[in-house]
Amino acid sequence: MTLSRRSLLRAGALGAGALAGGGLLGACGSGSQPAPVPEFTGGDEWRRFAGTTINFISENTAPTAAIAANLQPFTELTGINVRIVNLELSALVQRVALDLASGQSQYHVIYADPYQVLAPYSAGLADLREFIDADGYPPLEGGLEDFIPTQLAATGTFEDPDKVFALPYDCPTMIWQYRQDLFDAHGDRMRDDLGFDVTPGMERTWEEFFQIAQWFNAHVDEVVAGVGTQSKQHDSLMCDFSNVLWSYGGEYFEGGSEIGLRGATDPGRSLLASDEAKEAAAFYQRLVGIAHPGSRSWDWDGVGNAMAQGQIAMCVNWHEFASGNEESLPGQVSYAPLPHGPARSSAHFGGCGIGISGNTGGAERGAAWLFVNWATSPQTQLANLASAAGGGTPTRTSVYELPEVQAAEQRPSELPNMLTGPTMEVAWRDDVIGLRPKIPMWNECDTAVFTELSKMLAGQQQPAATMDGLARRIDQIVARGWQA
């Protein structure tokens, strides 16, 4: 399905070079339909498109690094050649948007970020049920039911739950990462001084998290600061703040978490001017105020490096930094769910799926599906988990049930990301997982959020005024998206 160039240009006008907007959703060009997939005439279903070459465009992610380092098993299985293009996410979004609008298909398999690709461009992606439910293809092992349900909905669907535009490919989620050695060394004194159990976990409150960080600042010389945050004027700031927002009972829109799970073209009114959101902003400002001085220049890599270098005692970061922690500080870093606020504990989910360009036709369309099927299969996810090139963590329940994966949740572990396994079981629960709004115009909303929060952290405006202004700004963005 071709997206019109006019709609693409409208979308590009909406948001800071994001090429994303409401006018694009559902817009279709008048170009010809893609060529049909050649009929299956028998034989090995995996080999039916042997000799075909396909292109996979992806963000620079751990699973893609692992697959790129070991494509031979897929090539031997299928006879299909895969060329991988790795890009920073904003560059990927622009290339995908232009490719979809062209009516052609330079990129056959697409890393479909739910917020910057799936929501604005779902009309240009193939519904994967075309392949899942068809004869002539190898079955999807374990079926859709094997994917963690919240991840399948969040990364693969948009508004219509019966259409699947992508299969869950990666699942980074924010959790509490802390220096176990320092908590062991100082925990008893810290507990006596503070008057509460300091063991990290969702039993702690955000206020207690703050007090623990402050105690490290005052009493421990082994680290520069008790906590580091990813508060750079960047997407990371929105991600970091959102954990606090949701735990305080705040929401971005009236539709709440359902908009993150299913997506929406019309998300309703912004709720960022609520008392809950203002309280969350005030707390976050206080937290950054006692954090490592580098925090306002750090994204997730910055705070991850600070943890690995021993500069901070704890942080909130994506769980897949565990492998790097284990390499830099072997046996010294542990993991726990995030603290709770007045409403709940919330763990920001940042996973993405992979899908197929709707412009892809002929043998390339079928070959693209074979790659999506293989790249998200239990066997490939297990291989990625063990890959020296990266790997990420699985999105399938069956992989977590394997004895070798469960054994890796304890040290010594040959699969260090699995040290987070018990924490992730909690973080992905329906009542804990945090989902940002899956709407066509989210990219511009995201930019507004981290820009205004950055001003707040710089002391240029107060938390209440920041949230009031953000609510008005986001309502304008959403309304403009409808008018485009």
Short mmCIF file of all heavy atoms in Angstrom, two decimals, residues 1-4 7-12 14-15 17-28 89-90 92-94 96-98 100-101 110-125 154-155 157-159 165 259 262-266 436-445 481 484:
data_model
loop_
_atom_site.label_atom_id
_atom_site.label_comp_id
_atom_site.label_asym_id
_atom_site.label_seq_id
_atom_site.Cartn_x
_atom_site.Cartn_y
_atom_site.Cartn_z
N MET A 1 0.86 -1.19 0.00
CA MET A 1 0.00 0.00 0.00
C MET A 1 0.89 1.23 0.00
O MET A 1 1.73 1.40 0.86
CB MET A 1 -0.92 0.00 1.22
CG MET A 1 -1.92 1.14 1.22
SD MET A 1 -3.09 0.96 2.58
CE MET A 1 -4.05 -0.42 1.98
N THR A 2 0.71 2.12 -0.97
CA THR A 2 1.57 3.27 -1.13
C THR A 2 1.02 4.48 -0.41
O THR A 2 -0.16 4.80 -0.52
CB THR A 2 1.70 3.61 -2.63
OG1 THR A 2 2.11 2.44 -3.32
CG2 THR A 2 2.71 4.71 -2.84
N LEU A 3 1.86 5.16 0.33
CA LEU A 3 1.48 6.40 1.00
C LEU A 3 1.74 7.56 0.06
O LEU A 3 2.76 7.62 -0.61
CB LEU A 3 2.29 6.57 2.27
CG LEU A 3 2.06 5.49 3.33
CD1 LEU A 3 3.05 5.66 4.45
CD2 LEU A 3 0.66 5.53 3.84
N SER A 4 0.81 8.49 -0.01
CA SER A 4 0.93 9.58 -0.97
C SER A 4 2.04 10.56 -0.58
O SER A 4 2.30 10.80 0.60
CB SER A 4 -0.39 10.35 -1.05
OG SER A 4 -0.59 11.12 0.11
N SER A 7 0.73 13.46 1.41
CA SER A 7 0.54 13.18 2.84
C SER A 7 1.86 13.15 3.57
O SER A 7 1.97 13.57 4.71
CB SER A 7 -0.18 11.84 3.01
OG SER A 7 -1.50 11.93 2.54
N LEU A 8 2.89 12.63 2.90
CA LEU A 8 4.21 12.61 3.52
C LEU A 8 4.70 14.01 3.81
O LEU A 8 5.22 14.31 4.88
CB LEU A 8 5.20 11.88 2.61
CG LEU A 8 6.64 11.91 3.11
CD1 LEU A 8 6.77 11.03 4.34
CD2 LEU A 8 7.60 11.46 2.03
N LEU A 9 4.54 14.91 2.86
CA LEU A 9 5.00 16.28 3.05
C LEU A 9 4.21 16.97 4.15
O LEU A 9 4.75 17.75 4.93
CB LEU A 9 4.89 17.05 1.74
CG LEU A 9 5.84 16.55 0.63
CD1 LEU A 9 5.56 17.29 -0.66
CD2 LEU A 9 7.29 16.71 1.04
N ARG A 10 2.91 16.67 4.23
CA ARG A 10 2.13 17.20 5.35
C ARG A 10 2.70 16.71 6.67
O ARG A 10 2.89 17.47 7.62
CB ARG A 10 0.68 16.70 5.26
CG ARG A 10 -0.19 17.41 4.25
CD ARG A 10 -1.56 16.77 4.30
NE ARG A 10 -2.49 17.39 3.39
CZ ARG A 10 -3.68 16.89 3.10
NH1 ARG A 10 -4.05 15.75 3.67
NH2 ARG A 10 -4.49 17.50 2.29
N ALA A 11 2.99 15.42 6.71
CA ALA A 11 3.51 14.85 7.95
C ALA A 11 4.84 15.49 8.31
O ALA A 11 5.12 15.79 9.46
CB ALA A 11 3.67 13.34 7.80
N GLY A 12 5.70 15.69 7.33
CA GLY A 12 7.00 16.27 7.58
C GLY A 12 6.91 17.68 8.12
O GLY A 12 7.76 18.12 8.88
N LEU A 14 4.84 18.68 10.24
CA LEU A 14 4.27 18.72 11.58
C LEU A 14 5.29 18.68 12.69
O LEU A 14 5.04 19.17 13.77
CB LEU A 14 3.31 17.52 11.77
CG LEU A 14 2.02 17.63 10.99
CD1 LEU A 14 1.16 16.42 11.30
CD2 LEU A 14 1.27 18.90 11.33
N GLY A 15 6.45 18.06 12.47
CA GLY A 15 7.24 17.88 13.68
C GLY A 15 8.73 17.77 13.56
O GLY A 15 9.22 16.68 13.41
N GLY A 17 11.33 17.74 11.83
CA GLY A 17 12.05 16.82 10.96
C GLY A 17 11.67 15.37 11.18
O GLY A 17 12.34 14.47 10.71
N ALA A 18 10.60 15.13 11.91
CA ALA A 18 10.26 13.76 12.24
C ALA A 18 9.55 13.04 11.13
O ALA A 18 9.46 11.82 11.12
CB ALA A 18 9.37 13.74 13.49
N LEU A 19 8.98 13.77 10.18
CA LEU A 19 8.21 13.18 9.10
C LEU A 19 7.09 12.31 9.66
O LEU A 19 6.84 11.22 9.18
CB LEU A 19 9.11 12.35 8.18
CG LEU A 19 10.16 13.13 7.40
CD1 LEU A 19 11.06 12.15 6.65
CD2 LEU A 19 9.52 14.09 6.42
N ALA A 20 6.45 12.78 10.71
CA ALA A 20 5.39 11.99 11.32
C ALA A 20 4.23 12.88 11.67
O ALA A 20 4.40 13.93 12.24
CB ALA A 20 5.90 11.31 12.58
N GLY A 21 3.01 12.43 11.34
CA GLY A 21 1.87 13.25 11.70
C GLY A 21 0.57 12.57 11.37
O GLY A 21 0.51 11.59 10.66
N GLY A 22 -0.51 13.14 11.88
CA GLY A 22 -1.80 12.54 11.71
C GLY A 22 -2.25 12.47 10.28
O GLY A 22 -3.00 11.58 9.89
N GLY A 23 -1.85 13.44 9.42
CA GLY A 23 -2.32 13.44 8.05
C GLY A 23 -1.84 12.24 7.27
O GLY A 23 -2.41 11.90 6.24
N LEU A 24 -0.79 11.58 7.76
CA LEU A 24 -0.25 10.44 7.04
C LEU A 24 -1.05 9.19 7.29
O LEU A 24 -1.12 8.30 6.45
CB LEU A 24 1.20 10.23 7.47
CG LEU A 24 2.01 9.17 6.73
CD1 LEU A 24 2.07 9.49 5.26
CD2 LEU A 24 3.40 9.09 7.30
N LEU A 25 -1.63 9.09 8.46
CA LEU A 25 -2.28 7.86 8.85
C LEU A 25 -3.41 7.52 7.90
O LEU A 25 -4.33 8.28 7.67
CB LEU A 25 -2.83 7.98 10.27
CG LEU A 25 -3.32 6.68 10.88
CD1 LEU A 25 -2.15 5.75 11.13
CD2 LEU A 25 -4.06 6.96 12.16
N GLY A 26 -3.34 6.36 7.33
CA GLY A 26 -4.40 5.88 6.47
C GLY A 26 -4.36 6.45 5.08
O GLY A 26 -5.19 6.10 4.24
N ALA A 27 -3.42 7.34 4.79
CA ALA A 27 -3.36 7.92 3.46
C ALA A 27 -2.74 6.94 2.50
O ALA A 27 -1.72 6.34 2.76
CB ALA A 27 -2.53 9.20 3.51
N CYS A 28 -3.33 6.76 1.35
CA CYS A 28 -2.83 5.82 0.37
C CYS A 28 -2.69 6.50 -0.96
O CYS A 28 -3.51 7.32 -1.36
CB CYS A 28 -3.77 4.63 0.21
SG CYS A 28 -4.06 3.75 1.75
N LEU A 89 17.94 6.17 14.97
CA LEU A 89 16.50 6.06 14.78
C LEU A 89 15.91 7.18 13.93
O LEU A 89 15.09 6.92 13.04
CB LEU A 89 15.78 6.00 16.13
CG LEU A 89 14.26 5.82 16.06
CD1 LEU A 89 13.88 4.55 15.32
CD2 LEU A 89 13.66 5.82 17.46
N SER A 90 16.27 8.44 14.17
CA SER A 90 15.66 9.53 13.40
C SER A 90 15.99 9.41 11.91
O SER A 90 15.14 9.69 11.06
CB SER A 90 16.13 10.88 13.95
OG SER A 90 17.53 11.03 13.83
N LEU A 92 16.58 6.57 10.37
CA LEU A 92 15.77 5.45 9.90
C LEU A 92 14.35 5.89 9.58
O LEU A 92 13.79 5.53 8.53
CB LEU A 92 15.76 4.35 10.97
CG LEU A 92 14.86 3.13 10.71
CD1 LEU A 92 15.50 1.88 11.29
CD2 LEU A 92 13.47 3.29 11.32
N VAL A 93 13.75 6.68 10.48
CA VAL A 93 12.37 7.12 10.28
C VAL A 93 12.23 7.91 8.98
O VAL A 93 11.29 7.71 8.21
CB VAL A 93 11.91 7.97 11.48
CG1 VAL A 93 10.55 8.60 11.21
CG2 VAL A 93 11.84 7.12 12.74
N GLN A 94 13.17 8.79 8.70
CA GLN A 94 13.10 9.59 7.48
C GLN A 94 13.22 8.72 6.23
O GLN A 94 12.47 8.90 5.27
CB GLN A 94 14.19 10.65 7.50
CG GLN A 94 13.97 11.71 8.58
CD GLN A 94 15.01 12.81 8.56
OE1 GLN A 94 15.66 13.03 7.55
NE2 GLN A 94 15.17 13.49 9.68
N VAL A 96 12.50 5.49 5.94
CA VAL A 96 11.30 4.66 5.82
C VAL A 96 10.14 5.48 5.28
O VAL A 96 9.41 5.04 4.39
CB VAL A 96 10.95 4.02 7.18
CG1 VAL A 96 9.55 3.41 7.14
CG2 VAL A 96 11.98 2.97 7.55
N ALA A 97 9.97 6.69 5.80
CA ALA A 97 8.86 7.54 5.33
C ALA A 97 8.98 7.84 3.85
O ALA A 97 8.00 7.75 3.10
CB ALA A 97 8.85 8.84 6.13
N LEU A 98 10.16 8.19 3.40
CA LEU A 98 10.37 8.49 1.99
C LEU A 98 10.16 7.25 1.13
O LEU A 98 9.58 7.32 0.03
CB LEU A 98 11.77 9.06 1.77
CG LEU A 98 12.00 10.46 2.36
CD1 LEU A 98 13.48 10.81 2.34
CD2 LEU A 98 11.19 11.50 1.60
N LEU A 100 8.27 4.58 1.80
CA LEU A 100 6.85 4.23 1.75
C LEU A 100 6.09 5.17 0.81
O LEU A 100 5.21 4.76 0.07
CB LEU A 100 6.23 4.28 3.14
CG LEU A 100 6.73 3.23 4.14
CD1 LEU A 100 6.08 3.46 5.50
CD2 LEU A 100 6.42 1.83 3.65
N ALA A 101 6.46 6.46 0.83
CA ALA A 101 5.76 7.43 -0.01
C ALA A 101 6.10 7.27 -1.48
O ALA A 101 5.31 7.64 -2.35
CB ALA A 101 6.12 8.85 0.44
N ILE A 110 11.39 -3.81 7.91
CA ILE A 110 11.52 -2.51 8.58
C ILE A 110 11.48 -2.69 10.09
O ILE A 110 10.59 -3.37 10.63
CB ILE A 110 10.37 -1.57 8.14
CG1 ILE A 110 10.48 -1.26 6.65
CG2 ILE A 110 10.36 -0.30 8.96
CD1 ILE A 110 9.27 -0.50 6.11
N TYR A 111 12.44 -2.07 10.76
CA TYR A 111 12.41 -1.96 12.21
C TYR A 111 11.35 -0.92 12.54
O TYR A 111 11.53 0.28 12.33
CB TYR A 111 13.79 -1.54 12.70
CG TYR A 111 13.94 -1.40 14.20
CD1 TYR A 111 14.20 -2.51 15.00
CD2 TYR A 111 13.87 -0.16 14.82
CE1 TYR A 111 14.38 -2.39 16.37
CE2 TYR A 111 14.05 -0.03 16.19
CZ TYR A 111 14.31 -1.15 16.96
OH TYR A 111 14.49 -1.02 18.31
N ALA A 112 10.21 -1.38 13.03
CA ALA A 112 9.03 -0.53 13.14
C ALA A 112 8.86 0.00 14.56
O ALA A 112 8.06 -0.53 15.35
CB ALA A 112 7.79 -1.31 12.71
N ASP A 113 9.63 1.04 14.91
CA ASP A 113 9.43 1.70 16.19
C ASP A 113 7.94 2.03 16.34
O ASP A 113 7.34 2.63 15.44
CB ASP A 113 10.27 2.97 16.24
CG ASP A 113 10.08 3.72 17.54
OD1 ASP A 113 10.82 3.45 18.49
OD2 ASP A 113 9.16 4.57 17.60
N PRO A 114 7.30 1.63 17.47
CA PRO A 114 5.86 1.81 17.58
C PRO A 114 5.38 3.25 17.47
O PRO A 114 4.25 3.50 17.05
CB PRO A 114 5.54 1.25 18.97
CG PRO A 114 6.67 0.33 19.29
CD PRO A 114 7.87 0.94 18.63
N TYR A 115 6.24 4.20 17.86
CA TYR A 115 5.81 5.59 17.98
C TYR A 115 6.22 6.43 16.78
O TYR A 115 5.50 7.35 16.40
CB TYR A 115 6.40 6.19 19.27
CG TYR A 115 6.25 5.21 20.40
CD1 TYR A 115 7.32 4.40 20.80
CD2 TYR A 115 5.01 5.01 21.03
CE1 TYR A 115 7.17 3.45 21.79
CE2 TYR A 115 4.86 4.06 22.01
CZ TYR A 115 5.93 3.27 22.39
OH TYR A 115 5.77 2.31 23.36
N GLN A 116 7.33 6.10 16.16
CA GLN A 116 7.83 6.90 15.04
C GLN A 116 7.65 6.22 13.69
O GLN A 116 7.82 6.86 12.65
CB GLN A 116 9.29 7.25 15.26
CG GLN A 116 9.51 8.09 16.51
CD GLN A 116 10.90 8.71 16.57
OE1 GLN A 116 11.39 9.26 15.60
NE2 GLN A 116 11.54 8.62 17.71
N VAL A 117 7.33 4.94 13.67
CA VAL A 117 7.09 4.24 12.41
C VAL A 117 5.69 3.61 12.39
O VAL A 117 4.88 3.89 11.51
CB VAL A 117 8.17 3.17 12.15
CG1 VAL A 117 7.84 2.36 10.90
CG2 VAL A 117 9.54 3.83 11.99
N LEU A 118 5.41 2.75 13.35
CA LEU A 118 4.16 2.01 13.32
C LEU A 118 2.93 2.92 13.39
O LEU A 118 2.01 2.81 12.57
CB LEU A 118 4.13 1.00 14.47
CG LEU A 118 2.84 0.19 14.64
CD1 LEU A 118 2.51 -0.58 13.37
CD2 LEU A 118 2.96 -0.76 15.82
N ALA A 119 2.89 3.81 14.37
CA ALA A 119 1.70 4.65 14.53
C ALA A 119 1.45 5.57 13.33
O ALA A 119 0.34 5.61 12.80
CB ALA A 119 1.78 5.45 15.82
N PRO A 120 2.46 6.31 12.86
CA PRO A 120 2.18 7.20 11.73
C PRO A 120 2.08 6.49 10.38
O PRO A 120 1.44 6.99 9.46
CB PRO A 120 3.35 8.19 11.74
CG PRO A 120 4.45 7.48 12.42
CD PRO A 120 3.79 6.58 13.43
N TYR A 121 2.72 5.33 10.24
CA TYR A 121 2.82 4.71 8.92
C TYR A 121 2.23 3.31 8.85
O TYR A 121 2.58 2.52 7.97
CB TYR A 121 4.30 4.65 8.49
CG TYR A 121 5.00 5.98 8.56
CD1 TYR A 121 6.21 6.12 9.23
CD2 TYR A 121 4.44 7.12 7.98
CE1 TYR A 121 6.85 7.34 9.31
CE2 TYR A 121 5.06 8.34 8.06
CZ TYR A 121 6.27 8.45 8.73
OH TYR A 121 6.88 9.67 8.81
N SER A 122 1.32 2.97 9.74
CA SER A 122 0.77 1.61 9.72
C SER A 122 0.08 1.30 8.40
O SER A 122 0.07 0.14 7.96
CB SER A 122 -0.22 1.43 10.89
OG SER A 122 -1.31 2.33 10.78
N ALA A 123 -0.49 2.31 7.74
CA ALA A 123 -1.16 2.07 6.46
C ALA A 123 -0.18 1.61 5.38
O ALA A 123 -0.60 1.05 4.37
CB ALA A 123 -1.86 3.34 5.99
N GLY A 124 1.10 1.85 5.59
CA GLY A 124 2.10 1.44 4.62
C GLY A 124 2.78 0.13 4.95
O GLY A 124 3.70 -0.28 4.24
N LEU A 125 2.36 -0.53 6.04
CA LEU A 125 2.97 -1.79 6.44
C LEU A 125 2.04 -2.95 6.12
O LEU A 125 0.81 -2.81 6.13
CB LEU A 125 3.27 -1.78 7.94
CG LEU A 125 4.24 -0.70 8.43
CD1 LEU A 125 4.34 -0.74 9.96
CD2 LEU A 125 5.61 -0.86 7.80
N ALA A 154 1.75 -3.81 22.08
CA ALA A 154 2.41 -2.50 22.05
C ALA A 154 3.28 -2.32 20.82
O ALA A 154 3.34 -1.22 20.26
CB ALA A 154 3.25 -2.32 23.32
N THR A 155 3.96 -3.36 20.37
CA THR A 155 4.91 -3.21 19.26
C THR A 155 4.35 -3.65 17.92
O THR A 155 4.94 -3.33 16.89
CB THR A 155 6.20 -4.02 19.51
OG1 THR A 155 5.89 -5.43 19.47
CG2 THR A 155 6.82 -3.67 20.84
N THR A 157 0.61 -3.81 16.96
CA THR A 157 -0.73 -3.45 16.52
C THR A 157 -0.94 -1.94 16.57
O THR A 157 -0.23 -1.22 17.27
CB THR A 157 -1.80 -4.13 17.41
OG1 THR A 157 -1.74 -3.58 18.74
CG2 THR A 157 -1.59 -5.64 17.47
N PHE A 158 -1.94 -1.49 15.83
CA PHE A 158 -2.34 -0.08 15.92
C PHE A 158 -3.85 0.02 15.71
O PHE A 158 -4.37 -0.27 14.62
CB PHE A 158 -1.62 0.79 14.89
CG PHE A 158 -1.94 2.25 15.06
CD1 PHE A 158 -1.42 2.96 16.13
CD2 PHE A 158 -2.80 2.90 14.19
CE1 PHE A 158 -1.74 4.30 16.33
CE2 PHE A 158 -3.13 4.23 14.36
CZ PHE A 158 -2.60 4.94 15.44
N GLU A 159 -4.55 0.35 16.76
CA GLU A 159 -6.01 0.52 16.81
C GLU A 159 -6.77 -0.78 16.58
O GLU A 159 -7.59 -1.17 17.38
CB GLU A 159 -6.46 1.63 15.84
CG GLU A 159 -5.96 3.01 16.24
CD GLU A 159 -6.65 4.12 15.49
OE1 GLU A 159 -6.75 4.07 14.25
OE2 GLU A 159 -7.09 5.08 16.17
N PHE A 165 1.06 -5.72 12.47
CA PHE A 165 1.98 -5.05 11.54
C PHE A 165 3.45 -5.37 11.83
O PHE A 165 4.30 -5.10 10.99
CB PHE A 165 1.77 -3.54 11.59
CG PHE A 165 0.40 -3.12 11.14
CD1 PHE A 165 -0.52 -2.61 12.04
CD2 PHE A 165 0.02 -3.23 9.81
CE1 PHE A 165 -1.78 -2.22 11.63
CE2 PHE A 165 -1.24 -2.83 9.39
CZ PHE A 165 -2.15 -2.32 10.30
N ILE A 259 -3.85 3.73 25.31
CA ILE A 259 -3.29 4.36 24.12
C ILE A 259 -1.89 3.84 23.85
O ILE A 259 -1.47 3.72 22.69
CB ILE A 259 -3.29 5.89 24.26
CG1 ILE A 259 -4.73 6.40 24.26
CG2 ILE A 259 -2.49 6.57 23.16
CD1 ILE A 259 -4.84 7.89 24.45
N ARG A 262 -2.79 -0.18 22.61
CA ARG A 262 -3.48 -0.38 21.32
C ARG A 262 -3.20 0.73 20.31
O ARG A 262 -3.30 0.51 19.11
CB ARG A 262 -5.00 -0.44 21.55
CG ARG A 262 -5.43 -1.53 22.50
CD ARG A 262 -5.12 -2.91 21.99
NE ARG A 262 -5.52 -3.95 22.94
CZ ARG A 262 -5.18 -5.23 22.84
NH1 ARG A 262 -4.39 -5.62 21.85
NH2 ARG A 262 -5.58 -6.10 23.75
N GLY A 263 -2.88 1.94 20.81
CA GLY A 263 -2.69 3.06 19.90
C GLY A 263 -3.99 3.77 19.62
O GLY A 263 -5.09 3.23 19.81
N ALA A 264 -3.89 5.01 19.16
CA ALA A 264 -5.08 5.80 18.86
C ALA A 264 -4.73 6.92 17.90
O ALA A 264 -3.67 7.55 18.02
CB ALA A 264 -5.68 6.38 20.13
N THR A 265 -5.61 7.17 16.96
CA THR A 265 -5.47 8.32 16.09
C THR A 265 -5.84 9.60 16.84
O THR A 265 -5.20 10.64 16.69
CB THR A 265 -6.38 8.18 14.85
OG1 THR A 265 -6.07 6.94 14.21
CG2 THR A 265 -6.15 9.31 13.88
N ASP A 266 -6.87 9.52 17.68
CA ASP A 266 -7.29 10.65 18.51
C ASP A 266 -7.10 10.26 19.97
O ASP A 266 -7.90 9.50 20.52
CB ASP A 266 -8.76 10.98 18.23
CG ASP A 266 -9.25 12.15 19.09
OD1 ASP A 266 -8.42 12.75 19.80
OD2 ASP A 266 -10.46 12.43 19.05
N ARG A 436 4.35 4.60 26.68
CA ARG A 436 4.14 5.96 26.18
C ARG A 436 3.04 5.95 25.12
O ARG A 436 2.73 4.90 24.54
CB ARG A 436 5.43 6.53 25.63
CG ARG A 436 5.84 5.99 24.28
CD ARG A 436 7.25 6.34 23.90
NE ARG A 436 8.21 5.45 24.53
CZ ARG A 436 9.49 5.36 24.16
NH1 ARG A 436 9.97 6.11 23.18
NH2 ARG A 436 10.31 4.52 24.76
N PRO A 437 2.43 7.08 24.83
CA PRO A 437 1.31 7.11 23.87
C PRO A 437 1.73 6.69 22.47
O PRO A 437 2.68 7.22 21.90
CB PRO A 437 0.86 8.58 23.89
CG PRO A 437 1.35 9.11 25.20
CD PRO A 437 2.65 8.40 25.45
N LYS A 438 0.98 5.74 21.90
CA LYS A 438 1.23 5.27 20.53
C LYS A 438 0.26 6.01 19.62
O LYS A 438 -0.83 5.55 19.33
CB LYS A 438 1.07 3.76 20.44
CG LYS A 438 1.52 3.16 19.12
CD LYS A 438 1.67 1.64 19.20
CE LYS A 438 0.42 0.94 19.61
NZ LYS A 438 0.54 -0.52 19.57
N ILE A 439 0.69 7.21 19.21
CA ILE A 439 -0.15 8.07 18.38
C ILE A 439 0.68 8.57 17.20
O ILE A 439 1.91 8.65 17.29
CB ILE A 439 -0.71 9.25 19.18
CG1 ILE A 439 0.43 10.13 19.73
CG2 ILE A 439 -1.62 8.76 20.31
CD1 ILE A 439 -0.03 11.40 20.41
N PRO A 440 0.06 8.93 16.09
CA PRO A 440 0.83 9.34 14.91
C PRO A 440 1.70 10.55 15.13
O PRO A 440 2.74 10.70 14.48
CB PRO A 440 -0.26 9.63 13.86
CG PRO A 440 -1.42 8.81 14.29
CD PRO A 440 -1.38 8.81 15.79
N MET A 441 1.31 11.44 16.04
CA MET A 441 2.05 12.68 16.23
C MET A 441 2.92 12.66 17.49
O MET A 441 3.33 13.70 17.99
CB MET A 441 1.07 13.86 16.28
CG MET A 441 0.03 13.82 17.39
SD MET A 441 -1.24 12.54 17.24
CE MET A 441 -2.18 13.12 15.84
N TRP A 442 3.25 11.45 17.97
CA TRP A 442 3.99 11.37 19.22
C TRP A 442 5.37 12.00 19.11
O TRP A 442 5.87 12.58 20.08
CB TRP A 442 4.12 9.92 19.70
CG TRP A 442 5.02 9.84 20.90
CD1 TRP A 442 6.24 9.26 20.99
CD2 TRP A 442 4.77 10.43 22.19
NE1 TRP A 442 6.78 9.43 22.25
CE2 TRP A 442 5.88 10.15 23.01
CE3 TRP A 442 3.71 11.17 22.74
CZ2 TRP A 442 5.97 10.57 24.34
CZ3 TRP A 442 3.81 11.59 24.06
CH2 TRP A 442 4.92 11.30 24.84
N ASN A 443 6.05 11.89 17.98
CA ASN A 443 7.41 12.38 17.92
C ASN A 443 7.49 13.87 18.28
O ASN A 443 8.38 14.30 19.01
CB ASN A 443 8.02 12.15 16.54
CG ASN A 443 9.52 12.41 16.53
OD1 ASN A 443 10.29 11.66 17.11
ND2 ASN A 443 9.92 13.48 15.88
N GLU A 444 6.54 14.66 17.77
CA GLU A 444 6.56 16.08 18.10
C GLU A 444 6.18 16.30 19.56
O GLU A 444 6.72 17.19 20.23
CB GLU A 444 5.64 16.87 17.17
CG GLU A 444 5.84 18.37 17.32
CD GLU A 444 4.99 19.20 16.37
OE1 GLU A 444 4.21 18.61 15.60
OE2 GLU A 444 5.10 20.44 16.43
N CYS A 445 5.24 15.49 20.07
CA CYS A 445 4.89 15.59 21.49
C CYS A 445 6.10 15.27 22.35
O CYS A 445 6.37 15.95 23.36
CB CYS A 445 3.74 14.65 21.81
SG CYS A 445 2.17 15.04 21.02
N GLY A 481 -2.35 17.93 14.02
CA GLY A 481 -2.24 16.65 13.32
C GLY A 481 -3.54 16.28 12.62
O GLY A 481 -3.55 15.79 11.50
N ALA A 484 -3.99 18.45 9.40
CA ALA A 484 -3.05 18.29 8.28
C ALA A 484 -3.62 17.42 7.18
O ALA A 484 -4.46 16.58 7.42
CB ALA A 484 -1.76 17.67 8.80
#
